[in-house]
Amino acid sequence: MHGTDDEWLAERSRVIGDRIRAERDRQHITQERLYLGAGISRDVLQRIEGGRHNPTLYTLLRIARVLDVPLADLVR
């Protein structure tokens, strides 16, 4: 294993955030539409997309629902 567990987790958070942002951009969905639809704050969405937040499973499921994609597509 390379790096520490914390480094690995931080990298995975960045990858998940990048996937959420990429899917949102691909669908031309604004941050506002996504955070309001998912029932989270703008700040939380920005931190998730930036890989600086540890979202709950429920939050990720809400985001996946608004984006109309399987959760697995965001966390694979």
Coordinates of all heavy atoms in Angstrom, one line a residue:
M1 N 0.8 -1.2 0.0 CA 0.0 0.0 0.0 C 0.9 1.2 0.0 O 1.9 1.3 0.7 CB -0.9 0.0 1.2 CG -1.8 1.2 1.3 SD -2.4 1.2 3.0 CE -4.1 1.4 2.8
H2 N 0.5 2.2 -0.8 CA 1.3 3.5 -0.9 C 0.6 4.5 0.0 O -0.6 4.7 0.0 CB 1.3 3.9 -2.3 CG 2.0 2.9 -3.2 ND1 3.3 2.7 -3.2 CD2 1.5 2.1 -4.1 CE1 3.6 1.7 -4.1 NE2 2.5 1.4 -4.7
G3 N 1.4 5.3 0.7 CA 0.9 6.4 1.5 C 0.1 5.9 2.7 O 0.0 4.7 3.0
T4 N -0.4 6.8 3.5 CA -1.2 6.5 4.7 C -2.7 6.3 4.3 O -3.1 6.6 3.2 CB -1.1 7.6 5.7 OG1 -1.7 8.7 5.2 CG2 0.4 7.9 6.0
D5 N -3.4 5.7 5.3 CA -4.8 5.6 5.1 C -5.5 6.9 4.9 O -6.4 7.1 4.0 CB -5.5 4.9 6.3 CG -5.2 3.4 6.4 OD1 -4.7 2.8 5.4 OD2 -5.4 2.8 7.4
D6 N -5.0 7.9 5.6 CA -5.6 9.3 5.5 C -5.3 9.8 4.1 O -6.2 10.5 3.5 CB -5.0 10.3 6.5 CG -5.5 10.0 7.9 OD1 -6.6 9.3 8.0 OD2 -4.9 10.5 8.9
E7 N -4.1 9.6 3.5 CA -3.9 10.1 2.2 C -4.7 9.3 1.1 O -5.3 9.9 0.2 CB -2.4 9.8 1.8 CG -1.4 10.7 2.6 CD 0.0 10.3 2.4 OE1 0.3 9.1 2.0 OE2 0.9 11.1 2.8
W8 N -4.9 8.0 1.3 CA -5.8 7.3 0.4 C -7.2 7.8 0.5 O -7.9 8.0 -0.5 CB -5.7 5.8 0.8 CG -6.5 4.9 -0.1 CD1 -6.1 4.4 -1.3 CD2 -7.9 4.5 0.0 NE1 -7.1 3.7 -1.9 CE2 -8.2 3.7 -1.1 CE3 -8.8 4.7 1.0 CZ2 -9.5 3.1 -1.2 CZ3 -10.1 4.1 0.9 CH2 -10.4 3.3 -0.2
L9 N -7.7 8.0 1.7 CA -9.1 8.5 1.9 C -9.2 9.9 1.2 O -10.3 10.2 0.6 CB -9.5 8.5 3.3 CG -9.7 7.2 4.0 CD1 -9.8 7.3 5.5 CD2 -10.9 6.5 3.4
A10 N -8.2 10.8 1.4 CA -8.3 12.1 0.8 C -8.3 12.0 -0.7 O -9.1 12.7 -1.3 CB -7.1 12.9 1.3
E11 N -7.6 11.1 -1.3 CA -7.5 11.0 -2.7 C -8.9 10.4 -3.2 O -9.4 10.9 -4.2 CB -6.4 10.0 -3.1 CG -6.4 9.7 -4.6 CD -6.3 10.9 -5.5 OE1 -5.8 12.0 -5.1 OE2 -6.7 10.9 -6.7
R12 N -9.5 9.5 -2.5 CA -10.8 8.9 -2.9 C -11.8 10.0 -2.8 O -12.7 10.1 -3.7 CB -11.2 7.8 -2.0 CG -10.3 6.5 -2.1 CD -10.1 6.0 -3.5 NE -11.3 5.8 -4.2 CZ -11.5 5.8 -5.5 NH1 -10.5 6.0 -6.3 NH2 -12.7 5.7 -6.1
S13 N -11.8 10.9 -1.8 CA -12.7 12.0 -1.7 C -12.6 12.9 -2.9 O -13.6 13.4 -3.4 CB -12.5 12.8 -0.4 OG -12.8 12.0 0.7
R14 N -11.4 13.2 -3.3 CA -11.1 14.1 -4.5 C -11.7 13.4 -5.7 O -12.4 14.1 -6.5 CB -9.7 14.4 -4.6 CG -9.1 15.4 -3.7 CD -7.7 15.9 -4.0 NE -6.8 14.8 -3.8 CZ -6.1 14.5 -2.7 NH1 -6.4 15.2 -1.6 NH2 -5.3 13.6 -2.6
V15 N -11.5 12.1 -5.9 CA -12.0 11.4 -7.1 C -13.6 11.5 -7.1 O -14.2 11.7 -8.1 CB -11.5 10.0 -7.1 CG1 -12.2 9.2 -8.1 CG2 -10.0 10.0 -7.4
I16 N -14.2 11.2 -6.0 CA -15.6 11.2 -5.9 C -16.2 12.6 -6.2 O -17.1 12.8 -7.0 CB -16.1 10.7 -4.5 CG1 -15.9 9.2 -4.4 CG2 -17.6 11.0 -4.3 CD1 -16.0 8.7 -3.0
G17 N -15.5 13.6 -5.6 CA -15.9 15.0 -5.9 C -15.8 15.4 -7.4 O -16.7 16.0 -7.9
D18 N -14.7 14.9 -8.0 CA -14.5 15.2 -9.4 C -15.6 14.5 -10.2 O -16.0 15.1 -11.2 CB -13.1 14.6 -9.8 CG -11.9 15.5 -9.3 OD1 -12.2 16.6 -8.9 OD2 -10.8 15.0 -9.4
R19 N -16.0 13.3 -9.8 CA -17.0 12.6 -10.6 C -18.4 13.3 -10.5 O -19.1 13.4 -11.4 CB -17.1 11.1 -10.1 CG -15.9 10.3 -10.6 CD -16.2 8.9 -10.3 NE -15.0 8.1 -10.8 CZ -14.4 7.2 -10.1 NH1 -14.8 6.9 -8.9 NH2 -13.3 6.6 -10.7
I20 N -18.7 13.8 -9.3 CA -19.9 14.5 -9.1 C -19.9 15.8 -10.0 O -20.9 16.0 -10.7 CB -20.1 14.8 -7.6 CG1 -20.4 13.5 -6.8 CG2 -21.3 15.8 -7.4 CD1 -20.4 13.7 -5.3
R21 N -18.8 16.5 -9.9 CA -18.7 17.8 -10.7 C -18.8 17.5 -12.2 O -19.5 18.2 -12.9 CB -17.4 18.5 -10.3 CG -17.4 19.9 -11.0 CD -16.1 20.6 -10.8 NE -15.5 20.5 -9.4 CZ -14.5 19.7 -9.1 NH1 -13.9 18.9 -10.0 NH2 -14.1 19.6 -7.9
A22 N -18.1 16.5 -12.6 CA -18.1 16.1 -14.0 C -19.5 15.7 -14.5 O -19.9 16.1 -15.6 CB -17.1 15.0 -14.3
E23 N -20.2 14.9 -13.7 CA -21.5 14.5 -14.1 C -22.5 15.7 -14.1 O -23.3 15.9 -15.0 CB -22.1 13.4 -13.2 CG -23.4 12.9 -13.6 CD -23.5 12.3 -15.0 OE1 -22.4 11.7 -15.5 OE2 -24.6 12.3 -15.6
R24 N -22.3 16.6 -13.1 CA -23.2 17.8 -13.1 C -22.9 18.7 -14.3 O -23.9 19.1 -14.9 CB -22.9 18.5 -11.8 CG -23.7 19.8 -11.6 CD -23.5 20.4 -10.2 NE -22.1 20.8 -10.0 CZ -21.5 21.9 -10.6 NH1 -22.2 22.7 -11.4 NH2 -20.3 22.2 -10.4
D25 N -21.7 18.9 -14.6 CA -21.3 19.7 -15.8 C -21.8 19.0 -17.1 O -22.3 19.7 -18.0 CB -19.8 19.9 -15.9 CG -19.3 20.8 -14.8 OD1 -20.1 21.5 -14.2 OD2 -18.0 20.8 -14.6
R26 N -21.6 17.7 -17.2 CA -22.1 17.0 -18.4 C -23.6 17.2 -18.6 O -24.0 17.3 -19.8 CB -21.8 15.5 -18.2 CG -22.0 14.7 -19.5 CD -21.9 13.2 -19.3 NE -23.0 12.6 -18.5 CZ -24.2 12.4 -19.0 NH1 -24.5 12.7 -20.2 NH2 -25.1 11.8 -18.2
Q27 N -24.3 17.2 -17.5 CA -25.8 17.4 -17.7 C -26.2 18.8 -17.6 O -27.4 19.1 -17.7 CB -26.5 16.6 -16.5 CG -26.3 15.1 -16.6 CD -27.2 14.5 -15.5 OE1 -28.3 14.9 -15.2 NE2 -26.6 13.4 -14.9
H28 N -25.3 19.7 -17.5 CA -25.6 21.2 -17.5 C -26.5 21.5 -16.3 O -27.4 22.3 -16.4 CB -26.2 21.7 -18.8 CG -25.4 21.4 -20.0 ND1 -24.2 22.0 -20.2 CD2 -25.5 20.4 -21.0 CE1 -23.6 21.4 -21.3 NE2 -24.5 20.5 -21.8
I29 N -26.2 20.9 -15.2 CA -26.9 21.1 -13.9 C -26.1 22.1 -13.1 O -24.9 21.9 -12.9 CB -27.2 19.8 -13.1 CG1 -28.1 18.9 -13.9 CG2 -27.7 20.1 -11.7 CD1 -28.3 17.5 -13.3
T30 N -26.7 23.2 -12.6 CA -26.0 24.1 -11.8 C -25.8 23.6 -10.4 O -26.5 22.7 -10.0 CB -26.9 25.4 -11.7 OG1 -28.1 25.1 -11.0 CG2 -27.1 26.1 -13.0
Q31 N -24.8 24.1 -9.7 CA -24.6 23.8 -8.3 C -25.9 24.0 -7.5 O -26.3 23.2 -6.7 CB -23.5 24.6 -7.7 CG -22.1 24.0 -8.0 CD -21.0 24.7 -7.2 OE1 -21.2 25.8 -6.7 NE2 -19.9 24.0 -7.0
E32 N -26.5 25.1 -7.8 CA -27.8 25.5 -7.0 C -28.8 24.4 -7.2 O -29.4 24.0 -6.2 CB -28.3 26.8 -7.5 CG -29.5 27.3 -6.7 CD -30.1 28.6 -7.1 OE1 -29.9 29.0 -8.3 OE2 -30.6 29.3 -6.2
R33 N -29.1 24.0 -8.4 CA -30.1 22.9 -8.7 C -29.7 21.7 -7.9 O -30.6 21.0 -7.3 CB -30.2 22.7 -10.1 CG -31.3 21.7 -10.5 CD -31.5 21.6 -12.0 NE -32.1 20.3 -12.3 CZ -32.0 19.7 -13.5 NH1 -31.4 20.4 -14.5 NH2 -32.5 18.6 -13.7
L34 N -28.4 21.3 -7.9 CA -28.0 20.1 -7.3 C -28.1 20.2 -5.8 O -28.7 19.3 -5.1 CB -26.6 19.7 -7.7 CG -26.0 18.4 -7.1 CD1 -27.0 17.2 -7.3 CD2 -24.6 18.1 -7.6
Y35 N -27.6 21.3 -5.2 CA -27.6 21.3 -3.7 C -29.1 21.5 -3.2 O -29.4 20.9 -2.2 CB -26.7 22.3 -3.1 CG -26.9 23.8 -3.3 CD1 -27.9 24.4 -2.5 CD2 -26.1 24.6 -4.1 CE1 -28.2 25.8 -2.6 CE2 -26.4 25.9 -4.2 CZ -27.4 26.5 -3.5 OH -27.6 27.9 -3.6
L36 N -29.9 22.2 -3.9 CA -31.3 22.4 -3.5 C -32.0 21.0 -3.6 O -32.8 20.6 -2.7 CB -32.0 23.5 -4.2 CG -31.6 24.9 -3.9 CD1 -32.3 25.9 -4.9 CD2 -31.8 25.2 -2.5
G37 N -31.8 20.3 -4.7 CA -32.5 19.1 -5.0 C -32.0 18.0 -4.0 O -32.8 17.1 -3.6
A38 N -30.7 18.1 -3.6 CA -30.2 17.1 -2.7 C -30.5 17.4 -1.2 O -30.2 16.6 -0.3 CB -28.7 16.9 -2.9
G39 N -31.0 18.6 -1.0 CA -31.3 19.0 0.4 C -30.0 19.3 1.2 O -30.0 19.0 2.4
I40 N -29.0 19.8 0.6 CA -27.7 20.2 1.3 C -27.4 21.6 1.0 O -28.1 22.3 0.2 CB -26.6 19.3 0.9 CG1 -26.3 19.4 -0.6 CG2 -26.8 17.8 1.3 CD1 -25.1 18.6 -1.1
S41 N -26.5 22.2 1.7 CA -26.1 23.6 1.5 C -25.1 23.7 0.4 O -24.5 22.7 0.0 CB -25.5 24.1 2.8 OG -24.2 23.6 3.0
R42 N -25.0 24.9 -0.1 CA -24.1 25.2 -1.2 C -22.7 24.9 -0.7 O -21.9 24.3 -1.4 CB -24.2 26.7 -1.6 CG -23.3 27.1 -2.7 CD -23.5 28.6 -3.0 NE -22.6 28.9 -4.1 CZ -22.0 30.1 -4.2 NH1 -22.1 31.0 -3.3 NH2 -21.2 30.3 -5.2
D43 N -22.4 25.3 0.5 CA -21.0 25.1 1.1 C -20.7 23.6 1.1 O -19.6 23.2 0.7 CB -20.9 25.7 2.5 CG -19.6 25.6 3.1 OD1 -18.6 26.0 2.5 OD2 -19.5 24.9 4.2
V44 N -21.6 22.8 1.5 CA -21.4 21.4 1.6 C -21.1 20.8 0.2 O -20.1 20.1 0.0 CB -22.5 20.6 2.3 CG1 -22.4 19.1 2.1 CG2 -22.5 21.0 3.8
L45 N -21.9 21.2 -0.8 CA -21.7 20.7 -2.1 C -20.3 21.1 -2.6 O -19.6 20.3 -3.2 CB -22.8 21.2 -3.1 CG -22.6 20.7 -4.6 CD1 -22.5 19.2 -4.7 CD2 -23.6 21.3 -5.4
Q46 N -20.0 22.4 -2.4 CA -18.7 22.9 -2.9 C -17.5 22.1 -2.2 O -16.5 21.8 -2.9 CB -18.5 24.4 -2.6 CG -19.4 25.2 -3.5 CD -19.4 26.7 -3.2 OE1 -19.1 27.1 -2.1 NE2 -19.6 27.5 -4.2
R47 N -17.7 21.8 -0.9 CA -16.6 21.0 -0.3 C -16.6 19.6 -0.8 O -15.5 19.0 -0.9 CB -16.8 21.1 1.3 CG -16.4 22.5 1.8 CD -16.4 22.6 3.3 NE -17.8 22.5 3.8 CZ -18.2 21.8 4.8 NH1 -17.4 21.0 5.5 NH2 -19.5 21.8 5.2
I48 N -17.7 19.0 -1.0 CA -17.8 17.6 -1.6 C -17.1 17.6 -3.0 O -16.2 16.8 -3.2 CB -19.2 17.1 -1.7 CG1 -19.8 16.8 -0.3 CG2 -19.2 15.8 -2.6 CD1 -21.3 16.6 -0.4
E49 N -17.5 18.5 -3.8 CA -16.9 18.6 -5.2 C -15.4 18.9 -5.1 O -14.6 18.4 -6.0 CB -17.6 19.6 -6.0 CG -18.9 19.2 -6.5 CD -19.6 20.1 -7.5 OE1 -19.1 21.2 -7.8 OE2 -20.6 19.6 -8.1
G50 N -15.0 19.6 -4.1 CA -13.5 19.9 -3.9 C -12.8 18.8 -3.2 O -11.5 19.0 -3.0
G51 N -13.4 17.8 -2.8 CA -12.8 16.7 -2.1 C -12.4 17.0 -0.7 O -11.5 16.4 -0.1
R52 N -13.1 18.0 -0.1 CA -12.7 18.5 1.3 C -13.8 18.2 2.3 O -13.9 18.8 3.3 CB -12.5 20.0 1.2 CG -11.4 20.4 0.3 CD -11.1 21.9 0.3 NE -12.4 22.7 0.2 CZ -13.0 23.0 -0.9 NH1 -12.5 22.6 -2.1 NH2 -14.1 23.7 -0.9
H53 N -14.7 17.2 2.0 CA -15.8 16.9 2.9 C -16.1 15.4 2.8 O -15.9 14.8 1.8 CB -17.1 17.7 2.4 CG -18.3 17.5 3.3 ND1 -18.3 18.1 4.6 CD2 -19.4 16.8 3.2 CE1 -19.4 17.8 5.2 NE2 -20.1 17.0 4.4
N54 N -16.5 14.9 3.9 CA -16.8 13.5 4.0 C -18.3 13.3 4.1 O -18.9 13.3 5.1 CB -16.1 12.9 5.3 CG -16.3 11.4 5.4 OD1 -16.7 10.7 4.5 ND2 -16.1 10.9 6.6
P55 N -18.9 13.2 2.9 CA -20.4 13.1 2.9 C -20.9 11.8 3.4 O -20.2 10.8 3.3 CB -20.8 13.3 1.4 CG -19.6 12.8 0.7 CD -18.4 13.1 1.5
T56 N -22.1 11.8 4.0 CA -22.7 10.6 4.5 C -23.2 9.8 3.2 O -23.3 10.4 2.1 CB -23.9 10.9 5.4 OG1 -24.9 11.5 4.6 CG2 -23.5 11.7 6.6
L57 N -23.5 8.6 3.5 CA -24.1 7.8 2.4 C -25.4 8.4 1.9 O -25.7 8.4 0.7 CB -24.3 6.3 2.9 CG -25.0 5.4 2.0 CD1 -24.2 5.2 0.7 CD2 -25.2 4.0 2.6
Y58 N -26.2 8.9 2.9 CA -27.5 9.5 2.5 C -27.3 10.7 1.6 O -28.0 10.9 0.6 CB -28.3 9.9 3.7 CG -28.9 8.7 4.5 CD1 -28.9 8.7 5.9 CD2 -29.4 7.6 3.9 CE1 -29.4 7.7 6.6 CE2 -30.0 6.6 4.5 CZ -30.0 6.6 5.9 OH -30.5 5.5 6.6
T59 N -26.3 11.5 1.9 CA -26.0 12.7 1.0 C -25.6 12.2 -0.4 O -26.0 12.8 -1.4 CB -24.9 13.5 1.7 OG1 -25.4 14.0 2.9 CG2 -24.5 14.7 0.8
L60 N -24.7 11.2 -0.4 CA -24.3 10.7 -1.7 C -25.5 10.1 -2.5 O -25.6 10.3 -3.7 CB -23.2 9.7 -1.6 CG -21.8 10.2 -1.1 CD1 -20.9 9.1 -0.9 CD2 -21.3 11.2 -2.2
L61 N -26.4 9.4 -1.8 CA -27.6 8.9 -2.5 C -28.5 10.0 -3.0 O -29.0 9.9 -4.1 CB -28.3 8.0 -1.5 CG -27.7 6.6 -1.2 CD1 -28.4 6.0 0.0 CD2 -27.8 5.7 -2.5
R62 N -28.6 11.1 -2.2 CA -29.4 12.2 -2.7 C -28.8 12.8 -3.9 O -29.6 13.2 -4.8 CB -29.6 13.2 -1.5 CG -30.4 12.8 -0.4 CD -30.6 14.0 0.6 NE -31.1 13.5 1.8 CZ -30.6 13.7 3.0 NH1 -29.4 14.3 3.1 NH2 -31.2 13.2 4.1
I63 N -27.5 13.0 -3.9 CA -26.8 13.6 -5.1 C -27.0 12.7 -6.3 O -27.3 13.2 -7.4 CB -25.3 13.8 -4.7 CG1 -25.2 15.0 -3.7 CG2 -24.5 14.1 -6.0 CD1 -23.8 15.1 -3.2
A64 N -26.8 11.4 -6.1 CA -27.0 10.5 -7.2 C -28.4 10.5 -7.7 O -28.7 10.4 -9.0 CB -26.7 9.0 -6.7
R65 N -29.4 10.7 -6.9 CA -30.8 10.7 -7.3 C -31.0 12.0 -8.1 O -31.7 11.9 -9.2 CB -31.7 10.8 -6.1 CG -33.2 10.8 -6.5 CD -34.1 11.0 -5.3 NE -33.9 12.4 -4.9 CZ -34.1 12.8 -3.6 NH1 -34.5 12.0 -2.7 NH2 -33.9 14.0 -3.3
V66 N -30.5 13.1 -7.7 CA -30.7 14.4 -8.5 C -30.0 14.3 -9.8 O -30.6 14.7 -10.8 CB -30.2 15.6 -7.7 CG1 -30.2 16.8 -8.6 CG2 -31.0 15.8 -6.4
L67 N -28.8 13.6 -9.8 CA -28.1 13.5 -11.1 C -28.7 12.3 -11.9 O -28.3 12.2 -13.1 CB -26.6 13.2 -10.8 CG -25.9 14.4 -10.2 CD1 -24.4 13.9 -9.8 CD2 -25.8 15.6 -11.1
D68 N -29.6 11.5 -11.4 CA -30.2 10.4 -12.0 C -29.1 9.4 -12.5 O -29.1 9.0 -13.7 CB -31.1 10.8 -13.2 CG -32.0 9.7 -13.7 OD1 -32.3 8.8 -12.8 OD2 -32.4 9.7 -14.8
V69 N -28.2 9.1 -11.6 CA -27.1 8.1 -11.9 C -27.0 7.1 -10.8 O -27.4 7.5 -9.6 CB -25.7 8.8 -12.2 CG1 -25.7 9.7 -13.4 CG2 -25.2 9.5 -10.9
P70 N -26.6 5.9 -11.0 CA -26.4 5.0 -9.9 C -25.3 5.5 -9.0 O -24.3 6.1 -9.5 CB -25.9 3.7 -10.6 CG -26.3 3.8 -12.0 CD -26.3 5.3 -12.3
L71 N -25.5 5.3 -7.7 CA -24.4 5.7 -6.7 C -23.1 5.1 -7.1 O -22.0 5.8 -7.0 CB -24.8 5.3 -5.3 CG -23.8 5.5 -4.2 CD1 -23.6 7.0 -4.1 CD2 -24.3 4.9 -2.9
A72 N -23.1 3.9 -7.6 CA -21.8 3.2 -8.0 C -21.0 4.0 -9.0 O -19.8 4.0 -9.0 CB -22.1 1.8 -8.5
D73 N -21.7 4.8 -9.9 CA -21.0 5.6 -10.9 C -20.2 6.7 -10.2 O -19.2 7.2 -10.8 CB -22.0 6.2 -11.9 CG -22.5 5.1 -12.9 OD1 -22.1 4.0 -12.8 OD2 -23.4 5.5 -13.7
L74 N -20.6 7.2 -9.1 CA -20.0 8.3 -8.4 C -18.8 7.8 -7.5 O -17.9 8.5 -7.3 CB -21.0 9.1 -7.6 CG -22.1 9.7 -8.3 CD1 -23.1 10.4 -7.3 CD2 -21.7 10.6 -9.4
V75 N -18.9 6.6 -7.0 CA -17.9 6.1 -6.0 C -17.1 4.9 -6.5 O -16.2 4.4 -5.8 CB -18.6 5.7 -4.7 CG1 -19.3 6.8 -4.1 CG2 -19.6 4.5 -4.9
R76 N -17.2 4.6 -7.7 CA -16.4 3.4 -8.2 C -14.9 3.7 -8.2 O -14.4 4.8 -8.1 CB -16.8 3.1 -9.7 CG -16.6 4.1 -10.7 CD -17.1 3.7 -12.1 NE -17.4 4.8 -12.9 CZ -16.5 5.6 -13.5 NH1 -15.2 5.4 -13.3 NH2 -16.8 6.6 -14.2

